[in-house]
DNA sequence: GATGAATGAGCATTCATTCAT
DNA sequence: GATGAATGAATGCTCATTCAT
């Protein structure tokens, strides 16, 4: 009959707050007191739930990683044995209109990328996120090659290229939105994939559920 | 009577120092005293030549902008009336081995991208750099379309896609180098461009000088 | 659960410390670290209780304002319907021996005057202090005129003149004490007021309590 | 045949510049580079002509002292053997409309008063200025007493009171101009002097040249 | 769990002064 | 005389972190 712990709720409030503050100000300029204010908590409480500021950032990143893995799992399971549809779905997951439209998420991700460069702990988690995407792309591509719908001698390189294109759109969208014709990201990546994997037919287009 | 000015030298020393320190620690954690030490100068002197820390960052970015424009100008002039060669040269300029191999330059650029998100002054210059690349790509693509070597209804979107791929490789190389098979970036982007612009023949490969 | 606040105590310690340091060194040369040391606190704590150095100065001034208003209220209430006694009391409040004898208070006030010239926020509070004195003088003078113990066509001007004389003694006492024969301030202002308000009899002398 | 020294000109430029900058920002916030810019000179040159910042302030004060002495000499000589006229002239010199109307001069003087409190070197010169005024007032008052146009047992105290009133108007005018009815300063001090020195007739009014 | 006071190191920036040219 | 680069100490302020309550 001890009082129910609200630790999970608090941690979620705090990571969400960091995401928002970081989108506005970056990680270094996101002070604990900013984060606390954004979460509607006090400074001391933030440190009660997280040992350090860096730990909050790690938690944010782990959330994103889990969320991406969940999404990819679901999406691959939706079109089993259909590499083309799976590939299209992965692209849409990241670039379909509405995705890249959330400036906070974009800003947060680009900020994390920059942070990954200098903080070992962040880099490792960040790499697990990008590697996870790349590995799944490799599997899909290999399956497609086996089915002769894709043709490439270097699935690793192709997967990296697709991941890079997605990342690149994130950066461009976050920093110079006007340079990207509205709605062009997803379809351009499909065309690029067609060249990359020597497709005979374009990747299928599916309706996005929201 | 008057004393010879060494401002240009000093400013160059200081911006170079910021580039190095920023590659290691990011902009916020690049303290003026770090920069001064890296440049072999005193803190006070840094502020004598730059009004503020932000001004140093702007100077770094303006240098990169000027350097990119110079390179692009030279490169486009080298293959007049040959859009395919020009396009290949632009890709190689950014992605040929040796380019993406300089981790400091990559880290510096990714850091600037993140900074562009939150600092108006940086964003404007940063956008001028990316827009400059995009605009040149648009011109080259339009020329290629006119010559019927490229086919696309949306040169703007295609140019953005190419620029995004390049940016994406920068981020990936800076954060998760192992995910990119060595030397694959440039050739993969060529394949992607082939799909994007419906090329009949692959983009030409040229020997890199330098 | 919550923790008792000692903010009021700390703020009082800090404003008192600024008063002392400022009397010695002026406002600009009263560094936060001086103030903290004088208050027996750490620098960080000073900024925990005051957002900025200016805010401490404002607090000092508001204290003086409240204190003057309290004194004037009490003093006017002590001699209701007796403008001559009230006027004498106001003069004594500011100039009786013992008042002008506290060099720290004088120095602090003169410093505030100078600061009022250049800092909007200080000027506004400072003006409210002087205006408060002037307005009370105007009321007293008008009452005296009505009772025919004073005669003047311009109570505003007379009030300003009295306030100016008081201020002037403050400055002179703070900067050139030797120029003022000991104990002469109060009685000279009484004589001047007699001329200013065409008194038939001199202002009453009362025993100072305290 | 050496090049004519322009030291005097330069020193005058610099002290004038300090006066203006100080009126705006106070002494501590008047940086050498502000002063240099205001004077249209370079920072180095300022230090060529003055060993230190304090020395410039001393020079400003010595200028004011010399100027006041010159004015007082001239004015006393204009009405020999007429203490009432001399006294009126002294009051007008400081308070006649147009005098207190120069906000820069007022601000500068009040700033000097505050500075005199804490800097020995300034205090000494400042005191010589106020004492010089007081001594002349004492002489005039004594002459008037001898001629039976004034009556007071304490010429020193009376002189201090007059000087204080003048100083007080300076402070009030600099900090709370609105509290002083336009043009009232000079006439109110005359009335006060009438009370202070038991005049039978008001002090003479003279037409101001200029 | 929660609060908010307290700490102390670190930061960008200012500035009087010196000095080589 | 004059310039402007250079210095180094000082300043107000921020902030992650600790801790008593």
């Amino acid at each position: 009959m001890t009082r129910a712990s609200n630790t999970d709720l608090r941690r979620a409030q705090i990571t969400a707050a960091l995401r928002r503050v970081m989108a506005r100000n970056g990680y270094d300029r996101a002070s604990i007191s900013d984060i606390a204010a954004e979460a509607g908590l006090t400074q001391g409480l933030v440190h009660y739930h997280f040992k350090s500021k860096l730990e909050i950032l790690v938690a944010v990143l782990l959330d994103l990683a889990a969320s991406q893995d969940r999404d990819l799992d679901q999406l691959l399971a939706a079109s089993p044995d259909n590499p083309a549809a799976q590939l299209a779905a992965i692209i849409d997951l990241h670039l379909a209109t509405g995705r890249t439209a959330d400036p906070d998420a974009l800003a947060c991700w680009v900020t994390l990328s920059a942070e990954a460069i200098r903080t070992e702990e962040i880099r490792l988690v960040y790499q697990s996120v990008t590697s996870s995407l790349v590995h799944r792309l490799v599997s899909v591509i290999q399956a497609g090659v086996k089915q002769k719908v894709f043709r490439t001698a270097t699935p690793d390189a192709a997967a990296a290229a697709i991941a890079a294109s997605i990342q690149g759109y994130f950066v461009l969208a976050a920093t110079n939105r006007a340079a990207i014709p509205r709605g062009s990201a997803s379809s351009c990546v499909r065309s690029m994939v067609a060249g990359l994997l020597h497709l005979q037919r374009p990747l299928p287009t599916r309706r996005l559920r929201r």
Side-chain angles (χ1 to χ4, degrees), chain A:
Chain A
M1 273 310 161
T2 59
R3 186 161 42 158
S5 165
N6 59 1
T7 296
D8 288 344
L9 168 64
R10 290 285 181 252
R11 286 178 67 100
Q13 282 181 287
I14 293 167
T15 52
L18 174 55
R19 276 209 260 214
R20 290 193 296 273
V21 177
M22 201 166 60
R24 285 200 300 273
N25 301 333
Y27 175 68
D28 282 293
R29 273 166 283 180
S31 73
I32 295 283
S33 88
D34 289 345
I35 298 168
E38 179 78 29
L41 305 173
T42 60
Q43 239 190 96
L45 195 53
V46 172
H47 262 93
Y48 180 82
H49 290 287
F50 289 94
K51 213 171 58 200
S52 73
K53 190 178 154 185
L54 183 59
E55 208 183 65
I56 313 178
L57 189 63
V58 172
V60 164
L61 194 40
L62 287 172
D63 280 359
L64 292 177
S67 156
Q68 185 194 248
D69 274 349
R70 214 181 311 112
D71 289 347
L72 287 175
D73 282 344
Q74 187 182 329
L75 165 165
L76 293 176
S79 313
D81 293 319
N82 188 345
Q86 289 177 326
L87 193 45
I90 292 177
I91 293 168
D92 280 348
L93 173 66
H94 292 100
L95 297 181
T97 324
R99 278 280 162 177
T100 50
D102 177 0
D104 271 18
L106 285 174
C108 187
W109 183 251
V110 173
T111 302
L112 279 164
S113 308
E115 216 51 45
I117 295 175
R118 26 212 143 260
T119 311
E120 174 96 34
E121 205 172 344
I122 297 300
R123 181 164 53 249
L124 294 176
V125 190
Y126 182 93
Q127 288 178 344
S128 81
V129 178
T130 47
S131 292
S132 164
L133 173 61
V134 170
H135 291 147
R136 285 165 198 265
L137 284 167
V138 169
S139 301
V140 169
I141 291 169
Q142 285 174 332
V145 167
K146 199 161 285 172
Q147 294 182 17
K148 314 243 175 185
V149 285
F150 302 158
R151 180 162 56 80
T152 177
T154 52
D156 291 2
I162 297 169
S165 301
I166 292 170
Q167 293 294 320
Y169 266 112
F170 286 170
V171 177
L172 208 53
T175 57
N176 195 354
R177 175 116 236 156
I180 309 174
R182 193 144 294 259
S184 68
S186 185
S187 66
C188 280
V189 172
R190 283 154 191 270
S191 299
M192 293 200 293
V193 166
L196 189 66
L197 301 178
H198 303 91
L199 302 195
Q200 304 307 318
R201 300 178 286 181
L203 288 178
T205 324
R206 40 155 223 170
R207 290 251 54 86
L208 277 180
R209 282 155 304 173
R210 280 270 264 121

